[in-house]
Amino acid sequence: MKTITYGQAISEALREELLRDQNVFILGEDMAVMGSVFGLTKGFLEEFGANRVIDTPISEAGFTAMAVGAALRGLRPVVEIMYVDFTPVCFDAIANQAAKMRYMTGGQASVPLVLRCPGGAGRRNAGQHSQSLEALFTHIPGLKVIAPSTPADMKGLLKTAIRDDDPVVCIEHKLLYATKGEVPDGDHLVPLGKADIKRPGRDITIVAWSRQVHSALEAAQTLAGEGIDAEVLDLRSLVPLDWETLAASIRKTHRAVIVHEAVKRGGYGGELAAQIGEDLFDSLDAPVKRVAGLNVVAPFSPALEDFIYPNPGDIAAAVRQTLGR
Amino acid sequence: MKTKRPSRETLLRFYREMQRIRQFDLKAAELFTQGRMAGNIHTCVGQEATAVGACQALEPTDFITATHRGHGHCLAKGGQAAVMMAELFGKATGYCKGKGGSMHIADLGLGILGANGIVGAGIPIAAGSALASKIKGSREVTLAFFGDGASNEGVFHEALNMASAWRLPVIFLCENNKYGVSVCIDRVTNIADIADRATAYDIPGIVVDGNDVLAVFEAVSAAAARARAGEGPTLIEAKTYRHRGHYEGDPQIYKPADEAAGWKERDPIALLRAAVLALDPGAAAELEEIETSVRREIEDAVAFATESPYPEPGEVVRDVYAADNERSVVR
Ligand SMILES: Cc1ncc(C[n+]2csc(CCOP(=O)(O)OP(=O)(O)O)c2C)c(N)n1
């Protein structure tokens, strides 16, 4: 085991997969000469050459669709969209092309493409650079969606995503790039569709993903001091969803709080709450609660931005309320 | 680079391919009007020369992307009429097992990367296929068919720019049939030739008579040779005309009354027929034989499509994902 950052985990995953499979290549803005705006692909150009680490023009719609074309030809493109906020520019390539090719061709076509999208708030970047748009992708059949919270999960899931034969959208939280964690040595893989219990507990299940897993863990720590034993379930992969692990946890704790940074209205938390309501009603001792971003545009002012997404205090309060304490 | 004039034999081959497209589409339109197929049909009657001229200039290992008006493109690239017709009927034996229909026919084995329901979407996908050839160091060429309407989509410009910057082995073939649904290209574009846009990307921009199969064949042959030589993309604009409505049942109120008549005289199939007969007046019987044998092919295609079974209900959840389908589809 070694300790590396979430950003280094991405870098290692990309490098290892470029080395392992000649069909893997990287496409995006500032990926080659500069080594990406977050410094994740530094040195790759020298190591792998300009055919495998490609600096594109600022043409998200064009190059994401080109990645679909290259994927149809058996290559495995890893596309970076500099911020998830820019994916609406290229949504046709994602939602109408990549996601639907296999189905609409009756299983002939395969689009093994990974779309890496830095997302999330917290950097005072205002409305067009702070969103969490994972719900858009979970709504499209044919896409898979991952949102890892730790370096180990990031590395293992990204490597698996690159090897996966379907288009996978990888949501990376910008505030996590510098966070550190232990990552197993060797060819570390985490399967898609497997949730992880980051903290076991008996009294309530807190379901979270991406950066909110850390807020949930902090909240659980506080609650432990009050005699509340919260389980923190990190979904890691939103599609496919690990329903078995989620259901087993709720059957054990009988209560659930879902936490996400994306705005509450239309968020993936609503989908999870509905599924829990439909299938686990008899196991529930309290209504499922959601703690999520406010239904507002991310504001610039630090004095305002900190109010929009959930913090550990909000999560702890929601847990207390659900438990009637 | 100048290509050789095609032989008599080649001309007859072109004629057969154009007949296949014409008869397929007329039959599809007829069946659609009779209510025998669902959805929508966009025929390419009058545009057969572009599909055939272009695909005949390509090799079997080359690739194309087709459009919503793509029956001709797919047939010209080797698509089987029966399997296509079955897809139009929504049958399990169709190219896409009945999940794609008229606008989404694909045969990756034949290099048909797919027709597309999104106007312009095939243009960057073709450029991406060409990028794959470049990365692999292989010699295939990819050709994107698209309409004049599609040339006003942003991805047209993005794809041309990248293909030019990276000298990708791709051919952009604009079938300018004058209309995007009801809107005449003149009303929404202030240049006479879409091919002029090539100047902005420093690549050849060529205008050809899209109703002359030989002109299209020559232009695409030259573009393919250029692409294979590593010299990059070409934009070809084939001026042609759509004889029927945008979709079957379109009253076409937007077309001037006398316009169609002029184009009917320049029907690509009639032009080729005349060219063959000029070369060899005794070829009339052969041309008729071709027409008859194509008629049989299309009749057989309809019979195959009619007799084929619909997909089983369980098929509906298959192929959303490559594997672990149940889990991803249910949750
Ligand atoms: C992105 C998008 N916008 C609009 C449409 C609706 N639509 C379908 S075909 C068409 C006209 C396309 O014109 P053109 O590209 O010239 O092709 P043609 O139909 O003339 O062959 C339109 C607007 C669509 N399918 N996709």
Side-chain angles (χ1 to χ4, degrees):
Chain A
M1 290 264 212
K2 59 185 175 225
T3 299
I4 58 173
T5 66
Y6 187 86
Q8 283 167 332
I10 296 168
S11 185
E12 284 191 7
L14 293 173
R15 184 166 176 275
E16 288 174 20
E17 294 307 300
L18 280 163
L19 281 170
R20 191 187 60 82
D21 183 352
Q22 284 295 315
N23 291 318
V24 175
F25 73 102
I26 290 177
L27 194 69
E29 291 157 21
D30 307 290
M31 299 306 287
V33 173
M34 184 176 172
S36 96
V37 287
F38 294 104
L40 306 176
T41 53
K42 277 215 169 80
F44 283 26
L45 178 61
E46 292 70 26
E47 188 172 1
F48 299 103
N51 257 352
R52 301 195 58 211
V53 188
I54 301 175
D55 269 336
T56 61
I58 303 159
S59 301
E60 291 83 3
F63 69 72
T64 306
M66 282 175 67
V68 174
L72 286 172
R73 295 284 311 284
L75 296 187
R76 293 184 172 271
V78 182
V79 178
E80 183 184 276
I81 302 296
M82 197 182 280
Y83 285 78
V84 75
D85 310 72
F86 309 158
T87 55
V89 170
C90 52
F91 219 58
D92 178 57
I94 303 167
N96 289 323
Q97 309 301 329
K100 293 176 172 59
M101 282 289 171
R102 180 183 300 283
Y103 195 80
M104 293 183 87
T105 61
Q108 289 181 66
S110 198
V111 183
L113 130 70
V114 175
L115 203 67
R116 292 188 35 249
C117 306
R123 281 170 54 120
R124 320 317 188 190
N125 284 334
Q128 295 163 341
H129 292 72
S130 305
Q131 298 172 89
S132 296
L133 297 179
E134 65 270 19
L136 298 186
F137 305 113
T138 61
H139 192 64
I140 312 281
L143 297 178
K144 293 176 178 173
V145 185
I146 57 174
S149 67
T150 66
D153 288 349
M154 184 72 239
K155 184 171 179 186
L157 280 163
L158 182 55
K159 280 167 68 83
T160 307
I162 293 170
R163 297 181 198 190
D164 196 276
D165 286 333
D166 293 312
V168 182
V169 180
C170 176
I171 309 278
E172 302 166 5
H173 202 294
K174 297 188 287 278
L175 287 193
L176 291 179
Y177 282 128
T179 60
K180 289 188 175 152
E182 284 194 334
V183 176
D185 299 320
D187 194 21
H188 169 62
L189 295 171
V190 174
L192 303 185
K194 273 265 158 271
D196 186 41
I197 294 176
K198 287 283 191 290
R199 181 191 192 282
R202 282 175 284 107
D203 297 333
I204 191 164
T205 303
I206 307 177
V207 182
W209 55 89
S210 193
R211 189 167 108 83
Q212 287 304 324
V213 170
H214 301 281
S215 301
L217 287 168
E218 240 183 277
Q221 187 75 33
T222 307
L223 292 163
E226 304 166 19
I228 298 171
D229 188 19
E231 177 146 303
V232 176
L233 188 126
D234 180 358
L235 228 41
R236 301 197 291 198
S237 161
L238 311 187
V239 180
L241 174 67
D242 185 357
W243 176 252
E244 287 73 22
T245 302
L246 180 62
S249 176
I250 291 169
R251 285 196 190 99
K252 177 177 73 175
T253 64
H254 308 294
R255 290 173 180 86
V257 167
I258 302 164
V259 189
H260 60 64
E261 188 177 306
V263 300
K264 192 173 196 174
R265 185 175 57 229
Y268 193 53
E271 169 60 29
L272 296 173
Q275 290 198 32
I276 293 166
E278 276 175 358
D279 290 11
L280 301 173
F281 186 71
D282 291 343
S283 303
L284 289 176
D285 284 347
V288 177
K289 202 158 180 58
R290 287 177 293 159
V291 184
L294 299 182
N295 297 325
V296 299
V297 176
F300 162 72
S301 171
L304 297 177
E305 190 186 22
D306 293 342
F307 288 116
I308 67 164
Y309 50 84
N311 61 42
D314 301 327
I315 300 168
V319 167
R320 285 187 206 104
Q321 203 186 340
T322 304
L323 285 162
R325 306 233 194 140
Chain B
M1 154 175 178
K2 191 83 188 148
T3 44
K4 271 204 330 260
R5 291 299 285 185
S7 65
R8 177 181 186 280
E9 192 184 52
T10 305
L11 293 183
L12 289 174
R13 191 171 75 238
F14 289 7
Y15 189 76
R16 169 181 291 277
E17 291 303 311
M18 285 165 65
Q19 275 290 344
R20 286 177 75 223
I21 297 170
R22 172 72 52 98
Q23 294 198 29
F24 183 96
D25 261 359
L26 288 178
K27 180 57 79 178
E30 181 191 321
L31 295 169
F32 181 79
T33 308
Q34 292 169 3
R36 289 187 56 196
M37 47 179 79
N40 226 328
I41 301 286
H42 306 91
T43 73
C44 63
V45 174
Q47 303 179 210
E48 295 86 352
T50 50
V52 173
C55 289
Q56 288 287 332
L58 299 177
E59 294 181 6
T61 47
D62 289 336
F63 293 88
I64 63 163
T65 58
T67 70
H68 61 285
R69 202 177 298 291
H71 301 162
H73 310 144
C74 297
L75 285 164
K77 191 66 175 66
Q80 294 178 55
V83 187
M84 283 176 54
M85 196 63 87
E87 188 59 37
L88 266 53
F89 274 67
K91 297 297 182 77
T93 50
Y95 268 114
C96 310
K97 301 179 190 160
K99 287 170 172 169
S102 164
M103 281 195 290
H104 304 282
I105 291 168
D107 184 337
L108 272 73
L110 290 173
I112 303 166
L113 295 175
N116 215 304
I118 305 294
V119 169
I123 305 171
I125 289 176
S129 166
L131 176 64
S133 293
K134 186 184 175 221
I135 290 172
K136 292 175 177 197
S138 54
R139 62 183 298 282
E140 312 91 3
V141 166
T142 305
L143 181 142
F145 286 104
F146 57 96
D148 45 288
S151 75
N152 285 330
E153 285 279 0
V155 287
F156 164 86
H157 296 276
E158 296 188 20
L160 259 70
N161 180 54
M162 282 184 270
S164 160
W166 300 335
R167 290 180 189 275
L168 300 181
V170 57
I171 300 166
F172 301 106
L173 179 59
C174 177
E175 294 178 283
N176 183 350
N177 64 9
K178 288 196 76 166
Y179 293 95
V181 189
S182 69
V183 179
C184 185
I185 186 73
D186 305 349
R187 290 169 50 208
V188 289
T189 303
N190 197 24
I191 49 173
D193 296 325
I194 289 161
D196 283 353
R197 291 181 176 172
T199 311
Y201 305 103
D202 193 24
I203 61 173
I206 291 158
V207 177
V208 292
D209 177 353
N211 283 22
D212 178 350
V213 68
L214 298 182
V216 177
F217 176 78
E218 282 185 20
V220 175
S221 297
R226 181 183 144 80
R228 269 187 251 281
E231 290 163 27
T234 302
L235 172 62
I236 300 171
E237 177 184 5
K239 306 268 193 195
T240 183
Y241 192 71
R242 145 161 78 68
H243 282 303
R244 300 177 73 89
H246 171 64
Y247 54 90
E248 287 311 294
D250 174 2
Q252 303 190 69
I253 50 161
Y254 48 84
K255 284 184 178 173
D258 54 343
E259 187 182 82
W263 282 97
K264 270 242 153 82
E265 276 168 33
R266 304 212 60 258
D267 183 296
I269 293 185
L271 289 184
L272 179 58
R273 186 171 234 285
V276 172
L277 291 174
L279 198 70
D280 171 15
E286 260 170 286
L287 292 170
E288 259 149 57
E289 241 172 77
I290 288 173
E291 287 156 29
T292 311
S293 97
V294 168
R295 201 161 302 127
R296 216 170 303 123
E297 180 189 357
I298 301 303
E299 274 166 20
D300 289 350
V302 175
F304 173 78
T306 306
E307 287 155 21
S308 288
Y310 282 106
E312 295 292 329
E315 179 64 31
V316 80
V317 294
R318 201 163 304 143
D319 293 327
V320 180
Y321 299 95
D324 69 16
N325 222 17
E326 281 308 307
R327 179 191 203 94
S328 309
V329 166
V330 174
R331 299 281 179 193

